[in-house]
Amino acid sequence: MSSRLDAGVELLERSLGYTRTALARVGPTDLTRRTPCERWDLAALLAHMDDALDAFLEAAGGSVSVRPSGPGDATGLCTKACTLLGVWSATSPSTVEVGGVDLDTGLLVGTAALEITVHGWDVARALGLDHPIPGAFAAALLPWAQLVSAQGGFAPPVPLAGDAPPDTRLLAALGRRP
C-alpha cells in the first residue's frame, strides 16, 4: 500500500470508532429527529450514510457506479463499516474510477474517513449527544475537509475566528455550526 493509502486507512479506522459511538445510540423512535443539515432527518442521513458506505466498498474493486440503496439502519451501517475497514486494509487498487475519472485510493479513503466522521457528528447532534471530534483527529482530517469543501462536497464553509480549535475548524469547513 502507498503511504497515502496507509494514512487514509488509519483515519478510516479512527472515523469508524468515533461514529460507532453515535450509531449505537440510535433507536427506532429517533429517525424523525432533525440533523444539522436542515433539510434532512436522521432517517435520510442514515440512508445517505448507507449509500456512501456502499460506494466506498465498491471502490475497493476499482470503480464506483453510483446507485441509491434502501433505507439505512444503525446496526447495518456498523456491519458495513467493519467490512469497509477490512476491505481497504487488504490489497487495494492504486486508483478507482468514479464517473470516468481515476482517483487516487489514498484520497478516496481519506475522503471516506472524513465523510464518516462528519456524519457521525451529525448523528450525535441529532440525538443531542455531546460527542466532540477529538482535536488531533480533527486536525488530521482538516486537509481532506479543505479539499472536499473546495469541490463543493458539503455545505458552504461557515466563517469563524482563526484561533478556533481543530474540531470547530473541521466542522465549519464543511458547513456545520458547532
Side-chain angles (χ1 to χ4, degrees):
M1 270 196 261
S2 73
S3 61
R4 186 180 215 177
L5 180 55
D6 287 340
V9 169
E10 190 262 328
L11 287 173
L12 180 62
E13 184 172 19
R14 292 169 71 185
S15 74
L16 297 171
Y18 170 81
T19 299
R20 183 183 52 80
T21 301
L23 288 174
R25 302 284 300 272
V26 175
T29 61
D30 295 319
L31 298 178
T32 58
R33 288 178 179 257
R34 303 307 312 160
T35 70
C37 301
E38 295 175 7
R39 293 175 285 152
W40 291 29
D41 62 13
L42 194 51
L45 176 59
L46 294 177
H48 169 72
M49 292 172 75
D50 194 55
D51 285 344
L53 286 176
D54 284 343
F56 291 127
L57 276 167
E58 187 179 346
S63 67
V64 176
S65 58
V66 181
R67 60 186 170 275
S69 62
D73 69 88
T75 304
L77 286 171
C78 288
T79 301
K80 267 188 197 179
C82 289
T83 302
L84 178 69
L85 181 60
V87 167
W88 280 105
S89 296
T91 304
S92 305
S94 60
T95 62
V96 175
E97 182 186 329
V98 180
V101 176
D102 285 338
L103 297 178
D104 174 79
T105 54
L107 177 62
L108 183 98
V109 174
T111 301
L114 175 69
E115 170 122 352
I116 291 165
T117 301
V118 172
H119 290 323
W121 182 85
D122 292 338
V123 170
R125 288 298 291 246
L127 297 173
L129 302 176
D130 182 23
H131 188 47
I133 301 169
F137 180 40
L141 288 171
L142 269 169
W144 271 273
Q146 292 160 345
L147 180 66
V148 170
S149 176
Q151 301 300 317
F154 282 84
V158 173
L160 54 95
D163 61 346
D167 63 328
T168 301
R169 289 195 325 257
L170 174 70
L171 293 165
L174 302 172
R176 271 61 175 180
R177 296 184 186 278

